[in-house]
């Protein structure tokens, strides 16, 4: 047999290496798709129920498709402390907490879309809109990384996401979790109590923390949050997918009084215009209510109810939950 020339041998080696790499990549992709590392439901071969311990960014894929939950809370850490079990007990609707810290409207609309894809007829939807919804950037940019691919309806985008090194680590992690006889689980309803985390940072009355909490809001409006407000149009479009019989509650979460803009200032006018635009997005939905906690009221002046200007404590979270439940009861009575 004639020996290969150096060029021919090199070409043969390259083809073999590329073929091996392609085979390994396809093999991994098939395994990752079957394992479904975040339990997105795209593969049910290893779906055993329960949410493996992980952050809410990825856990929303599993929780958001769980048929047991017919009501959803969408937002970030500014609504995170509202306990879904409390809302469920007050309304009779099984709520799941889908709040993801450090997200804005772009990520939250995707979570809402994911939930609606798996719950075409929900009993209630609660959405919390904070100052991040007031951006004038139509791209609704995200400040922190977010797995858009995981909740995407685009299959190629999902497959590309599976090729990430961090995801490969999760494939290994979920495989080990599946093989355990006693699997550790995260709360099924997604409630994450952040009070212990804040208390570990120090006492809420620590002078340094108190000074930051009591810092007054500037009078000049943020030039990127003075309008227009593209999140309002996106919100209206998202509501178009919510059945008309489903009650929707829009919550403007509590803000400590020092962080509220002074009446009559440019910042106050911009803030009011944003809230008006977002509330106006509900106009076409027949079962909707707005709860505005982003204003001066006795509770928002009580420093003991806040860790900082935007993160409040359990007593206030329970009041917000009770307000949401009251609104839902009124909307359901109106429907009946």
């Amino acid at each position: 047999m004639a020996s290969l020339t150096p060029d021919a041998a090199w070409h043969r080696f390259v083809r073999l290496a590329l073929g091996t790499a392609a085979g390994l990549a396809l093999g991994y992709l098939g395994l990752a798709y079957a394992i479904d590392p975040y339990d997105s439901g795209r593969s049910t071969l290893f779906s055993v129920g329960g949410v493996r311990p992980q952050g809410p960014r990825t856990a929303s894929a599993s929780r958001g498709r769980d048929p047991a939950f017919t009501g959803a809370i969408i937002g970030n850490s500014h609504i995170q402390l509202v306990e879904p079990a409390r809302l469920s007990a007050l309304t009779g609707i099984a709520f799941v907490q889908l709040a993801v810290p450090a997200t804005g409207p772009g990520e939250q609309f995707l979570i809402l879309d994911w939930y609606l894809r798996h719950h075409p007829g929900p009993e209630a939807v609660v959405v919390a809109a904070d100052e991040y919804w007031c951006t004038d950037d139509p791209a609704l940019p995200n400040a922190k990384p977010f797995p858009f691919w995981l909740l995407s309806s685009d299959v190629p985008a999902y497959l590309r996401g599976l090729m990430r090194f961090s995801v490969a680590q999760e494939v290994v992690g979920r495989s080990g979790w599946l093989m355990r006889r006693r699997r550790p689980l995260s709360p099924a309803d997604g409630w994450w109590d952040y009070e212990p985390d804040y208390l570990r940072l120090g006492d809420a009355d620590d002078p340094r923390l108190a000074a930051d909490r009591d810092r007054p809001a500037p009078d000049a409006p943020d030039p990127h949050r003075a309008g227009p407000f593209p999140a309002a149009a996106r919100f209206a479009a998202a509501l178009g997918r919510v059945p008309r019989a489903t009650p929707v509650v829009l919550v403007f979460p509590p803000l400590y009084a020092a962080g509220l803009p002074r009446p009559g200032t440019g910042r106050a006018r911009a803030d009011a215009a944003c809230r008006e635009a977002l509330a106006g997005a509900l106009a076409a939905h027949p079962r909707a209510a707005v709860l505005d906690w982003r204003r001066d009221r006795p509770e928002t002046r009580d420093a003991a109810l806040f860790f900082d200007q935007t993160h409040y404590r359990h007593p206030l979270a329970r009041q917000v939950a009770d307000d949401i439940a009251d609104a839902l009861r009124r909307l359901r009575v109106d429907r009946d």
Side-chain angles (χ1 to χ4, degrees):
M1 178 181 294
S3 60
L4 297 175
T5 65
D7 284 348
W10 171 250
H11 291 155
R12 182 177 180 179
F13 170 77
V14 169
R15 288 194 298 270
L16 179 62
L18 291 176
T20 301
L24 289 173
L26 289 174
Y28 160 76
L29 194 59
L31 174 65
Y33 190 93
I35 293 293
D36 194 6
Y38 301 111
D39 193 30
S40 70
R42 291 179 173 90
S43 169
T44 57
L45 288 174
F46 299 98
S47 184
V48 295
V51 181
R52 186 168 65 91
Q54 60 193 282
R57 276 171 165 68
T58 51
S60 59
S62 181
R63 292 191 179 110
R65 70 181 189 86
D66 190 332
F69 298 110
T70 56
I73 307 166
I74 311 278
N76 56 25
S77 61
H78 298 151
I79 198 69
Q80 174 183 329
L81 209 59
V82 168
E83 188 175 3
R86 186 179 184 88
L87 270 186
S88 299
L90 292 170
T91 63
I93 300 170
F95 270 95
V96 62
Q97 178 59 275
L98 295 178
V100 178
T103 58
E107 302 97 309
Q108 291 158 27
F109 291 146
L110 182 59
I111 293 172
L112 174 60
D113 177 73
W114 176 263
Y115 179 77
L116 292 174
R117 271 187 268 157
H118 295 87
H119 300 80
E123 293 188 76
V125 173
V126 177
V127 179
D130 58 10
E131 65 272 16
Y132 295 110
W133 284 53
C134 297
T135 178
D136 63 0
D137 189 339
L140 305 182
N142 53 304
K144 302 290 185 181
F146 187 82
F148 290 95
W149 62 272
L150 179 59
L151 306 183
S152 174
S153 59
D154 181 49
V155 174
Y158 176 70
L159 294 177
R160 288 193 298 272
L162 290 176
M163 298 300 293
R164 299 164 184 249
F165 178 73
S166 59
V167 177
Q169 293 177 305
E170 290 298 321
V171 171
V172 175
R174 182 169 175 81
S175 299
W177 180 79
L178 288 168
M179 289 187 288
R180 298 178 66 169
R181 293 184 62 185
R182 286 189 168 184
R183 303 183 184 102
L185 298 172
S186 290
D189 67 4
W191 192 50
W192 175 9
D193 181 4
Y194 63 55
E195 273 218 358
D197 299 322
Y198 268 89
L199 290 173
R200 278 192 291 270
L201 296 176
D203 190 280
D205 293 325
D206 179 279
R208 178 180 55 84
L209 298 177
D212 188 57
R213 184 183 58 219
D214 294 332
R215 183 177 295 109
D219 290 342
D222 184 325
H224 298 294
R225 293 179 182 170
F229 308 106
R234 287 277 299 276
F235 186 37
L239 290 175
R241 295 196 54 215
V242 179
R244 294 175 64 80
T246 298
V248 176
V249 177
L250 174 64
V251 181
F252 296 117
L255 192 68
Y256 183 55
L260 291 168
R262 288 193 312 116
T265 63
R267 185 171 289 262
R269 287 189 292 271
D271 186 66
C274 177
R275 281 179 290 156
E276 182 179 353
L278 295 173
L282 291 170
H285 194 80
R287 299 281 182 265
V290 178
L291 299 180
D292 189 358
W293 275 85
R294 190 182 169 86
R295 57 188 177 86
D296 191 5
R297 50 192 298 169
E299 299 90 340
T300 60
R301 288 183 172 273
D302 187 349
L305 295 177
F306 287 83
F307 284 108
D308 55 32
Q309 289 190 346
T310 63
H311 294 94
Y312 42 94
R313 305 190 67 174
H314 283 301
L316 189 50
R318 288 192 285 269
Q319 290 186 54
V320 174
D322 293 350
D323 261 9
I324 294 171
D326 287 343
L328 288 172
R329 282 194 290 263
R330 290 194 301 270
L331 292 172
R332 296 174 85 187
V333 167
D334 290 345
R335 178 184 62 187
D336 298 337

